[in-house]
Amino acid sequence: MDYDQALQNLSDLNSWYKQNVTDLKRNEATTRLHLIDTLLFDCLDWDRKANCVAEERLDGQYTDYSLSARQRLLIVEAKREGIYFELPVGQTKHVYSISFFRKPHPQTYSAINQAVEYCLQRGTPFGAVCNGHQLIAFLGSRTDGLPPMEGKCLVFPSLDCMHGEFFQLWQCLSKPGIQAHTLSLLLQEGGPPPPPEKMSKRLVTYPGYKGRNSLQTNLQILGELFLYDITRGADQVDFLKQCYCESGALSQYAMVSKTILQTRYSLLFEKAIGGPGISPLTSKEGVDQRALAESVSKRPIVLLGDVGVGKTSFINNFINVEAHDIVANAMVSYIDLGVRPTIVTDLRNYVADEISRQLLEVHKIDLMDTNFVNGVYYGEIQRFERGIHSELKKVDEQAYFKKKIEFLESKVSNVETHLRSSLEHISKGRKKQIIIFLDNIDQRPYEFQQEVFLIAQSIAETWPATVYVSIRPDTFYRSKVAGSLSAYHPKAFTISPPRVDKVLFKRFKYSLHLLESGKLTGLQQIQAQLTVLKQYISIIQYSFENNSELMECIDNLCGGNVRVALDFIHAFVGSGHVNTNKILSKYQETRSYLIPLHEFLRAIIYGDHEHFDPDASSIVNVFDISSVDGREHFLLLIILAQLDRWSETVGNEGYIAEASLIEFCQSLGFQSSQIEFALRRALAKKLVEIHTKVTEAEDKTSQFWRLTSVGGYYHRKLVTRFEYVDAMIVDTPIADQAIKGKISDVSRIEDRLIRGRIFLSYLKEQWNMILGQGVAFDFLPVHEAVLEQIRKIQDRLPSHGPRLF
């Protein structure tokens, strides 16, 4: 709604009211109909259907107006026109203490108190009381320790005042004003107080870098070579045959139900958006043959898969192994758009240049070769020779040939048109199928991806080529609703992630094979180091095969992203947080070593740093808070556990409407800013996933949330580990000042155990404020599990234990 239009609407309302004053005899229902509805919906930009729930019920009580924009933000208590108040004569201020109304206007004070109770019960930050011609707004719930009824309120004693001070009314109570929390800044001096300072802020060298000895440094370098670069250094076909894993297999370790894994992309592709059929690319029978036969449809074939599920690996396996017989008689161009070009406007030329370059380097076809050009344009040359220049040949043969050269030059000067004609010539003359793969566009901005698809559509429609484009499902959906794909109906195939355990086991086996075979040249001079690496990979392989906790951990925390799983392994190899000498010594003595979960976790939690750093680590601190409210330590865990519970009891493949999720959190008394902080962190670290759905009835978008295996592992397993809780202490604000003074930076294991007990005791005290509210998460079993680990560690310590854990 336009600000000027809203102001005009308020002026019209004020004029109407003055002409229809009824000596304040309108009852509440009529007051709402005649005045409050117009004020809220026509003057303050709230939408009747999208933002308002009237008579919302909770515990037998009803709120007159619950106004939401994603979260419930404002509750308005309506009163009849006759319940009104007067301000002291001569006063022009608009901010008063709520207590001002207690004695002179007890009915108004009671209405404010009632609205505050509704706000507290529903976790709503703002409240208001309105009788149609007067308005009082206040903070419905606070995080600064001050009871709302002891705070201040913003008062508009008349419609004339609202009109005259419309800028302040708009800034504080319009939909955009409420979303900006302007009222909070006005009534809560200085705004909401920040959370207590984290211990990390007091550390001079935070986060610090964990030193490595020479052995750890060498292992890290060689580990990178054999875990990542192995795909480039080894024979490509041999690597694919030995290491490639089919996608679509369900994990046996996942912390979410199989239904969720099976319906990974379901909500994106409902009938509501129309468009193409979506089907899995692979099954037990192998690759869907329709992915090979779609070339006649003159539309690109879209390969859908999240980041890290193996779209590029699939393409390489498809070319070199799966469809090798078909591809052997085809001309394949694979174009990696992950890095180049840098400018979207260069994209069409880049694609054409890349295809031309590969035709020359791989297939030895020079598009500018004279004989080739004459072959491509043979028919047109014949027409040229029969045309107007045929007479020129009789009188000036040299001039005729010059014209012919100019004619062919005009043909090849348009790179894209010449390339298309060349491919038609190759396809017909050599009876070759042309296949073009446009890969890794999911690493580029959305607009870039849109342009790639338009190019793919143009090539598929006008060139003699089969075109494959790999993109992310969310990009596909977004473009299908309101982007380039909305005008087309491409065929799409989904690529689900392979089983991580199988990928890792094959990679370990292949790495050991290369180390033993000596196939990689140029490494003989570091044979001793390669021997150590071989032992270390053998230890990792043995541990993952025999310690289910390790496989459960990496399988869930990677969330189906194979790259992340390999990152975790690489983080462990050569980590400064792991006693590498001890591990190798025991292995060399016994030919066996089983990596415990705590060693692996420490490596991936800390990475290269001395202390946990949330910005650098792939791990999220679930105990972090955005306010001084100690209950917030558990909000993210409550959300994860609640999504887990709902996924087992509701349909819709585990997806929960955002409105239901936020309403649940607000019913526990959490404010919208706290909920936003928790959801933002969960989404950033893949603990949850979010999808947008278009409803057919109203043509509106709604967002839905679902737990991932990452989030399931966090609330079920990770928070029960001492090494995780211990690492998070440095990054967790402590709301209790007395406890904060007892928690400091320590390194000796004995001191860390003592600090861990103090931290757990503090969390338990904060949890006591949530007990009894019927949430799916329960901190008490977590508390006991971590305490039990502390006891076991303590029992294993000698009288003078090691200095480092």
Side-chain angles (χ1 to χ4, degrees):
M1 176 184 293
D2 181 76
Y3 174 86
D4 293 331
Q5 183 60 55
L7 177 58
Q8 182 60 49
N9 292 345
L10 181 58
S11 178
D12 295 342
L13 174 63
N14 192 19
S15 299
W16 180 89
Y17 176 73
K18 290 177 179 178
Q19 296 170 10
N20 294 274
V21 173
T22 58
D23 297 326
L24 308 182
K25 291 182 180 179
R26 270 182 277 256
N27 61 24
E28 181 184 322
T30 307
T31 298
R32 292 172 61 178
L33 179 64
H34 288 179
L35 299 170
I36 302 177
D37 282 5
T38 303
L39 179 62
L40 292 175
F41 305 130
D42 296 341
C43 306
L44 293 174
D45 198 27
W46 296 98
D47 187 280
R48 283 177 172 83
K49 293 182 179 180
N51 304 133
C52 181
V53 176
E55 302 293 338
E56 185 179 33
R57 184 178 186 275
L58 179 66
D59 297 334
Q61 296 178 315
Y62 296 85
T63 57
D64 294 322
Y65 298 89
S66 289
L67 299 172
S68 304
R70 290 188 71 202
Q71 306 98 340
R72 188 192 297 103
L73 295 174
L74 174 64
I75 288 177
V76 179
E77 181 67 12
K79 292 301 175 185
R80 62 184 175 85
E81 193 177 358
I83 298 179
Y84 67 96
F85 58 85
E86 295 180 355
L87 296 178
V89 175
Q91 291 291 323
T92 58
K93 67 178 184 177
H94 296 290
V95 176
Y96 289 80
S97 296
I98 293 176
S99 59
F100 162 78
F101 295 95
R102 187 192 309 245
K103 290 184 178 180
H105 304 292
Q107 285 183 301
T108 301
Y109 182 82
S110 177
I112 295 174
N113 189 57
Q114 184 179 13
V116 165
E117 289 182 1
Y118 292 157
C119 290
L120 290 172
Q121 292 170 354
R122 293 162 167 79
T124 308
F126 306 111
V129 172
C130 185
N131 60 11
H133 60 103
Q134 296 177 313
L135 180 66
I136 303 173
F138 41 85
L139 304 183
S141 55
R142 308 175 69 115
T143 59
D144 57 358
L146 184 69
M149 290 302 290
E150 295 181 17
K152 297 179 180 181
C153 58
L154 176 63
V155 180
F156 295 94
S158 67
L159 286 170
D160 275 335
C161 178
M162 294 182 207
H163 185 262
E165 301 291 339
F166 184 68
F167 179 77
Q168 187 173 58
L169 177 69
W170 177 269
Q171 291 295 91
C172 293
L173 288 167
S174 68
K175 176 183 172 183
I178 286 289
Q179 288 178 300
H181 285 237
T182 310
L183 185 62
S184 178
L185 297 176
L186 176 68
L187 300 181
Q188 190 168 280
E189 295 181 4
E197 185 180 67
K198 298 178 179 181
M199 187 206 302
S200 60
K201 297 294 184 182
R202 307 195 300 270
L203 302 180
V204 177
T205 59
Y206 177 83
Y209 283 92
K210 186 69 174 176
R212 292 187 177 89
N213 57 37
S214 59
L215 174 60
Q216 291 167 332
T217 301
N218 290 334
L219 279 176
Q220 185 189 45
I221 295 171
L222 292 174
E224 183 171 358
L225 171 66
F226 279 86
L227 289 171
Y228 294 111
D229 296 342
I230 190 176
T231 60
R232 295 185 290 272
D235 177 79
Q236 184 70 203
V237 175
D238 183 51
F239 170 78
L240 289 168
K241 288 182 177 180
Q242 299 299 324
C243 295
Y244 183 75
C245 291
E246 295 289 348
S247 64
L250 296 182
S251 167
Q252 59 181 319
Y253 302 100
M255 289 290 172
V256 292
S257 68
K258 289 186 177 181
T259 301
I260 289 179
L261 295 176
Q262 290 170 330
T263 57
R264 189 175 185 88
Y265 310 128
S266 60
L267 197 64
L268 288 173
F269 310 121
E270 294 185 340
K271 293 180 180 178
I273 69 168
I278 307 294
S279 55
L281 186 57
T282 57
S283 63
K284 293 181 179 179
E285 288 74 33
V287 176
D288 191 327
Q289 292 302 304
R290 289 174 294 177
L292 302 174
E294 282 290 325
S295 58
V296 298
S297 66
K298 295 299 180 182
R299 55 184 179 176
I301 301 168
V302 179
L303 305 179
L304 297 173
D306 287 318
V307 174
V309 303
K311 297 188 292 296
T312 299
S313 295
F314 169 82
I315 291 172
N316 288 333
N317 187 67
F318 183 80
I319 294 172
N320 293 290
V321 180
E322 188 73 37
H324 178 69
D325 293 341
I326 297 173
V327 173
N329 195 40
M331 290 193 171
V332 178
S333 289
Y334 172 83
I335 303 176
D336 186 348
L337 294 170
V339 178
R340 297 181 60 195
T342 56
I343 303 175
V344 176
T345 53
D346 295 338
L347 187 55
R348 299 188 74 91
N349 288 336
Y350 178 79
V351 170
D353 289 343
E354 269 298 294
I355 295 174
S356 300
R357 182 186 65 80
Q358 292 182 31
L359 285 173
L360 176 61
E361 293 182 1
V362 179
H363 302 287
K364 311 304 179 186
I365 298 175
D366 185 350
L367 301 189
M368 302 304 292
D369 180 86
T370 299
N371 292 331
F372 180 81
V373 172
N374 284 326
V376 171
Y377 299 106
Y378 176 79
E380 294 185 56
I381 291 173
Q382 295 300 308
R383 289 185 60 198
F384 177 87
E385 292 179 345
R386 294 192 300 269
I388 59 174
H389 294 98
S390 59
E391 298 300 320
L392 179 62
K393 185 177 183 181
K394 298 176 182 178
V395 297
D396 191 343
E397 189 169 345
Q398 186 175 4
Y400 168 79
F401 278 110
K402 184 177 181 180
K403 288 290 184 181
K404 182 179 178 181
I405 292 171
E406 290 174 351
F407 168 75
L408 291 176
E409 187 178 34
S410 69
K411 292 295 182 180
V412 301
S413 62
N414 188 317
V415 176
E416 190 173 327
T417 302
H418 176 53
L419 177 59
R420 181 180 63 200
S421 300
S422 299
L423 293 178
E424 289 174 347
H425 174 70
I426 294 169
S427 177
K428 292 177 182 178
R430 305 192 184 190
K431 296 184 175 9
K432 292 279 188 180
Q433 183 180 10
I434 310 297
I435 303 175
I436 300 171
F437 290 93
L438 303 177
D439 193 22
N440 286 328
I441 69 170
D442 58 354
Q443 300 175 20
R444 309 302 294 273
Y446 174 72
E447 292 72 19
F448 186 96
Q449 298 181 52
Q450 294 263 91
E451 184 64 24
V452 171
F453 177 79
L454 290 176
I455 292 173
Q457 177 64 39
S458 175
I459 293 174
E461 189 173 343
T462 60
W463 295 19
T466 303
V467 185
Y468 294 84
V469 184
S470 63
I471 59 177
R472 289 197 301 264
D474 55 346
T475 301
F476 178 88
Y477 172 80
R478 180 180 171 189
S479 184
K480 191 71 189 86
V481 172
S484 300
L485 272 69
S486 59
Y488 302 98
H489 296 281
K491 182 64 182 176
F493 294 89
T494 59
I495 300 177
S496 297
R499 274 183 49 176
V500 173
D501 55 342
K502 290 189 174 182
V503 173
L504 293 181
F505 292 152
K506 284 191 174 184
R507 188 67 67 95
F508 294 151
K509 184 178 179 180
Y510 190 66
S511 297
L512 291 172
H513 165 69
L514 288 181
L515 285 167
E516 292 171 348
S517 65
K519 288 184 178 180
L520 298 181
T521 59
L523 298 177
Q524 289 79 4
Q525 67 273 22
I526 56 170
Q527 190 60 47
Q529 296 176 15
L530 293 178
T531 300
V532 172
L533 178 63
K534 176 185 172 183
Q535 293 174 345
Y536 213 70
I537 293 178
S538 297
I539 292 168
I540 296 174
Q541 179 185 39
Y542 173 80
S543 297
F544 273 91
E545 289 176 345
N546 293 277
N547 185 350
S548 60
E549 281 189 323
L550 282 179
M551 198 64 247
E552 179 185 71
C553 172
I554 197 170
D555 187 273
N556 283 283
L557 287 183
C558 78
N561 189 326
V562 176
R563 295 180 204 166
V564 173
L566 290 172
D567 286 343
F568 288 157
I569 298 296
H570 181 240
F572 179 79
V573 176
S575 170
H577 290 276
V578 176
N579 192 334
T580 309
N581 286 315
K582 177 202 72 174
I583 293 174
L584 289 170
S585 294
K586 288 191 175 181
Y587 176 80
Q588 290 162 2
E589 291 174 7
T590 64
R591 308 309 297 172
S592 174
Y593 183 85
L594 192 67
I595 299 168
L597 180 58
H598 72 80
E599 286 186 341
F600 185 73
L601 276 175
R602 283 178 61 80
I604 65 174
I605 289 172
Y606 293 101
D608 294 329
H609 296 292
E610 180 75 29
H611 300 283
F612 169 74
D613 179 6
D615 295 327
S617 178
S618 60
I619 302 299
V620 64
N621 178 11
V622 297
F623 301 118
D624 198 5
I625 57 177
S626 63
S627 67
V628 294
D629 182 5
R631 300 176 312 128
E632 193 182 343
H633 290 303
F634 308 100
L635 176 56
L636 180 49
L637 291 168
I638 288 172
I639 290 172
L640 298 177
Q642 197 66 33
L643 286 174
D644 202 349
R645 173 183 287 179
W646 280 335
S647 70
E648 297 174 355
T649 58
V650 301
N652 218 15
E653 290 82 33
Y655 287 104
I656 305 299
E658 180 179 75
S660 298
L661 177 59
I662 292 175
E663 180 180 357
F664 167 76
C665 295
Q666 288 186 316
S667 72
L668 300 175
F670 291 107
Q671 295 192 23
S672 57
S673 59
Q674 295 173 303
I675 300 167
E676 185 72 26
F677 180 67
L679 290 177
R680 185 172 65 250
R681 290 182 298 129
L683 189 62
K685 294 299 176 74
K686 311 297 185 184
L687 279 65
V688 295
E689 56 189 351
I690 184 172
H691 288 311
T692 303
K693 171 184 174 183
V694 177
T695 57
E696 281 183 292
E698 300 179 1
D699 193 28
K700 293 182 178 179
T701 59
S702 300
Q703 291 188 320
F704 289 76
W705 296 74
R706 185 166 73 168
L707 183 75
T708 65
S709 65
V710 185
Y713 189 77
Y714 267 83
H715 86 86
R716 291 190 189 187
K717 293 294 182 71
L718 191 57
V719 292
T720 67
R721 301 293 309 186
F722 169 73
E723 53 275 10
Y724 173 78
V725 173
D726 178 53
M728 297 305 113
I729 294 176
V730 73
D731 185 59
T732 302
I734 306 297
D736 186 328
Q737 290 299 315
I739 298 297
K740 182 179 178 181
K742 298 178 181 179
I743 294 180
S744 60
D745 182 32
V746 295
S747 58
R748 295 178 69 250
I749 180 58
E750 294 91 342
D751 297 330
R752 294 173 84 134
L753 296 177
I754 294 171
R755 186 181 66 176
R757 288 178 181 271
I758 296 172
F759 184 64
L760 286 172
S761 177
Y762 160 74
L763 290 178
K764 186 177 180 182
E765 286 299 316
Q766 306 306 310
W767 176 252
N768 288 338
M769 294 187 286
I770 298 178
L771 273 176
Q773 292 188 277
V775 297
F777 176 75
D778 187 359
F779 179 69
L780 296 182
V782 173
H783 178 268
E784 291 304 314
V786 180
L787 271 184
E788 180 61 24
Q789 290 177 59
I790 290 176
R791 295 188 194 103
K792 289 182 178 179
I793 296 170
Q794 190 71 52
D795 291 341
R796 294 199 301 268
L797 290 177
S799 56
H800 299 286
R803 293 191 60 81
L804 293 178
F805 178 66

